[in-house]
Amino acid sequence: MGESYIISGGMAGAARLSVLSQAMAEATGSLLDRVGIPADARILDVGCGAGDVTRELASRTSGQVVGLDLDEIKISMAGQDAPANTAFHVGGYERALELGPFDVIYARFLLSHLTDPADAVAVFEAALVPDGLLVVEDVEFSAHLCEPTRTSFRHFVQWYVACAHRRGADAEIGPKLPAILGRAGFIGIEARVAQPAGLTGPAKAMAALTLAGIAEAVESMGVSRETLVAYISDLERGKRNWNLDL
């Protein structure tokens, strides 16, 4: 995933993921409630970042929860004050086979960053116990909206999708997930749409944080640093206005 991942990593990346986890907390919590995590499940959180959801998963099971991510800095942060039933490892999704088997595999905003998401899903299917559960949250990035509209926001969404595409990833994978899972042999597939939105709070912060995080990738498409700085500043100002961000 490393070369196809367009967002900066390290501590800045972990800080952005922390805000994202706050914005997604209600939707992710409702999803985990709905699917029903077995009380003694052994769980893998793939692309765990600094472990925000790993900790939530650990609170729902007496079994071991394993966090897996390519970013060594994020994994180091995840291990700090981690629950006793968690373990964190550096590596890509392929390590699921080595670390498994698992009763539950969870992946949030991972498949949209991969050049071959179908291969990852096949690995997850092989790393699950019979009748194991795969839980996936991912994005249709073009569905992001802002009211009233802002030029900076519109370009941010377009740039993000284009940058991902240039590196072989798919930031509009969301609607395609049921078919990808079905081709991998999963049954009983369910799909829901969740769209966090807000006039204040973490959802309002994500556009500026994410554009700053993909600045290097956007510059590689020929966008000037001056334009990026101006647009990031405009998105920051938008946080203080009564704009609705989705």
Side-chain angles (χ1 to χ4, degrees):
M1 181 179 78
E3 293 183 357
S4 59
Y5 190 69
I6 64 173
I7 308 171
S8 59
M11 296 189 69
R16 173 188 167 276
L17 288 179
S18 177
V19 177
L20 176 62
S21 289
Q22 295 171 50
M24 290 295 299
E26 182 178 355
T28 296
S30 296
L31 172 62
L32 297 178
D33 289 341
R34 186 167 65 250
V35 301
I37 303 297
D40 59 350
R42 187 167 190 267
I43 305 173
L44 176 65
D45 180 7
V46 193
C48 68
D52 296 297
V53 183
T54 317
R55 289 173 168 78
E56 174 62 27
L57 290 166
S59 73
R60 294 170 179 256
T61 180
S62 61
Q64 185 186 44
V65 181
V66 177
L68 181 63
D69 200 279
L70 285 169
D71 192 318
E72 295 183 17
I73 294 175
K74 291 175 185 172
I75 287 294
S76 177
M77 296 173 66
Q80 298 173 11
D81 300 320
N85 63 331
T86 60
F88 293 93
H89 299 273
V90 175
Y93 66 82
E94 301 87 352
R95 291 200 66 188
L97 292 170
E98 168 197 342
L99 297 168
F102 296 97
D103 302 295
V104 179
I105 294 179
Y106 170 84
R108 184 170 75 180
F109 303 145
L110 170 74
L111 297 180
S112 55
H113 291 292
L114 302 179
T115 57
D116 192 353
D119 181 67
V121 171
V123 168
F124 299 157
E125 194 278 334
L128 282 166
V129 301
D131 298 321
L133 178 66
L134 176 63
V135 183
V136 174
E137 290 185 272
D138 225 302
V139 69
E140 166 60 77
F141 208 88
S142 295
H144 281 74
L145 300 172
C146 173
E147 177 58 39
T149 187
R150 302 177 81 89
T151 298
S152 57
F153 194 95
R154 177 169 50 84
H155 279 90
F156 152 62
V157 173
Q158 293 172 347
W159 288 338
Y160 188 103
V161 173
C163 286
H165 180 74
R166 288 186 75 201
R167 298 195 185 184
D170 185 0
E172 299 172 303
I173 199 172
K176 305 165 191 171
L177 288 176
I180 293 172
L181 298 178
R183 286 193 292 268
F186 285 95
I187 60 175
I189 299 168
E190 297 182 11
R192 299 281 183 93
V193 174
Q195 184 73 306
L199 298 173
T200 60
K204 291 280 293 177
M206 286 309 303
L209 285 172
T210 303
L211 182 52
I214 65 171
E216 182 178 341
V218 173
E219 283 189 272
S220 73
M221 295 195 305
V223 178
S224 70
R225 168 60 63 167
E226 291 75 16
T227 298
L228 275 167
V229 169
Y231 278 16
I232 292 169
S233 296
D234 187 67
L235 292 172
E236 286 281 355
R237 287 192 296 273
K239 290 193 306 183
R240 298 185 289 273
N241 297 330
W242 288 101
N243 291 355
L244 177 64
D245 289 358
L246 302 96

